[in-house]
Amino acid sequence: METALIKQLESSEMSSVVPPENATPVGMVPMTATEASSYIDALAGNLENSKAKLLELERRRGWKALGYSSWRDCAVAELGQSQAYLYRLLASARVEENLAQSLGATIVENFVETPIPVSQLSELAQLAPDKQAAGLVLAEQIAYREGKMRTALHVKRAVKQIKSFADTAVKPEIELAEEEVTPYLAHRAVNSAVKAERIVDAVVGCLGVGFVVCNHLEEQLLGKVFICPSTQINQWSKALLVAYQSGQVIEAVALLPLDSQCFKIFAPYALCPLPDSRVVVYLGTNLPKFIACFAEFGSTWRRL
């Protein structure tokens, strides 16, 4: 069965996917007829492995150079496949490109195979670009918990979970003492698959005594800290990273939404995705202890 996205693409005029006829994306040179023909030849019989060329044929108006009125007409006529399948490949190529930008040129340690199957990419296409990396990581986590290799079904489940997940947290009005971490997290964990008490136990086990719960961006981050922001996530993330790299923070655990920004900001550090569209980030020198404390939630990832 085609995904909801592909059904929509097949029945529409694709105005949201195909830019105006004469509008080539900024910085891209329109294809010549000779170049477009060479792309068609490369695509023939090897569509799934050459889908990036399919995307470039669309972006650089190779179809127009070959005398067609639209990318759809060109692709269907030249490649001999159904419109639905070709748009599925096009959507998959966009996701693959976005994942490369979100996760970086390298892959996450023990994480994804290359290339990612079209069946999985087309499921991820149902998410907004900034959630696609999160969807892939969450799918891997679901598969890991089942002791299986990741499949399109795992990705579909992850996509559904991310779509339905709602963060009901509100920014606390008062500064929390260390013993108040549990009730604070309990509030943040409404509709969450991970119980607050389990997270608290893991945080305390990792950081030990003497860590500070930081709740306001205005306060200085020092020593050992734990943050669980509900708003201004990027500002919190960048502030924590600067404080750690400057030596003000010696060890930190952060509970954050799982999205591509998290990967970009904390790329060199350890991340433990939770099954509720959040991720625990660790900054410090005792990585084995962090892995042990958060092992119940799944595996810890680090970019190569």
Side-chain angles (χ1 to χ4, degrees):
M1 178 181 292
E2 299 291 342
T3 64
L5 172 66
I6 302 308
K7 287 181 178 178
Q8 179 184 351
L9 295 178
E10 186 175 28
S11 61
S12 72
E13 287 303 314
M14 296 306 298
S15 59
S16 62
V17 175
V18 181
E21 254 182 54
N22 297 316
T24 302
V26 176
M28 288 194 178
V29 180
M31 279 189 183
T32 63
T34 300
E35 190 177 8
S37 294
S38 70
Y39 270 58
I40 293 294
D41 291 340
L43 284 162
N46 194 30
L47 275 172
E48 294 204 2
N49 291 330
S50 304
K51 53 187 175 296
K53 289 184 177 295
L54 196 65
L55 178 58
E56 191 169 356
L57 188 73
E58 185 267 334
R59 281 181 174 165
R60 293 179 55 203
R61 306 297 182 268
W63 49 269
K64 190 173 183 181
L66 294 176
Y68 290 94
S69 60
S70 68
W71 177 89
R72 176 181 56 195
D73 291 346
C74 173
V76 171
E78 297 287 344
L79 300 173
Q81 300 291 333
S82 72
Q83 173 184 312
Y85 176 66
L86 291 168
Y87 274 121
R88 186 183 185 194
L89 289 181
L90 187 65
S92 297
R94 294 185 188 280
V95 173
E96 191 170 58
E97 180 181 74
N98 180 55
L99 288 175
Q101 295 171 353
S102 298
L103 298 175
T106 57
I107 63 172
V108 178
E109 185 177 3
N110 297 324
F111 183 27
V112 297
E113 73 276 15
T114 304
I116 301 169
V118 169
S119 60
Q120 298 181 27
L121 292 170
S122 59
E123 293 291 346
L124 290 171
Q126 299 178 62
L127 293 174
D130 67 338
K131 296 294 184 184
Q132 289 168 357
L136 186 63
V137 172
L138 184 56
E140 181 73 11
Q141 194 75 352
I142 292 171
Y144 173 86
R145 288 174 176 276
E146 296 179 352
K148 299 176 180 178
M149 298 294 291
R150 189 184 69 250
T151 66
L153 182 58
H154 294 119
V155 178
K156 185 173 184 176
R157 287 164 56 190
V159 168
K160 182 178 180 180
Q161 189 168 327
I162 288 176
K163 279 184 170 183
S164 64
F165 180 75
D167 187 356
T168 61
V170 294
K171 189 174 182 179
E173 298 297 329
I174 59 172
E175 191 168 332
L176 302 180
E178 186 171 327
E179 61 271 15
E180 295 176 285
V181 179
T182 298
Y184 173 42
L185 278 177
H187 177 73
R188 291 232 48 205
V190 175
N191 294 332
S192 168
V194 179
K195 297 298 183 182
E197 291 79 6
R198 290 165 56 199
I199 298 177
V200 171
D201 288 344
V203 171
V204 173
C206 178
L207 295 179
V209 297
F211 69 90
V212 177
V213 181
C214 297
N215 306 299
H216 304 289
L217 273 171
E218 297 75 18
E219 63 184 305
Q220 191 174 22
L221 300 175
L222 290 171
K224 295 183 179 183
V225 301
F226 169 68
I227 68 168
C228 181
S230 59
T231 60
Q232 298 179 290
I233 307 300
N234 285 345
Q235 293 93 321
W236 270 106
S237 299
K238 291 174 183 177
L240 178 61
L241 188 59
V242 168
Y244 179 71
Q245 291 177 340
S246 68
Q248 292 176 222
V249 168
I250 59 173
E251 192 174 26
V253 173
L255 182 61
L256 305 169
L258 181 59
D259 58 27
S260 59
Q261 283 301 315
C262 186
F263 285 104
K264 290 177 181 178
I265 295 174
F266 294 107
Y269 303 99
L271 299 96
C272 179
L274 304 180
D276 57 11
S277 300
R278 295 182 295 173
V279 63
V280 181
V281 179
Y282 175 71
L283 288 76
T285 58
N286 200 343
L287 182 58
K289 187 174 183 181
F290 171 78
I291 293 173
C293 290
F294 284 87
E296 69 168 294
F297 302 111
S299 51
T300 296
W301 313 105
R302 280 197 309 169
R303 182 175 296 174
L304 293 173

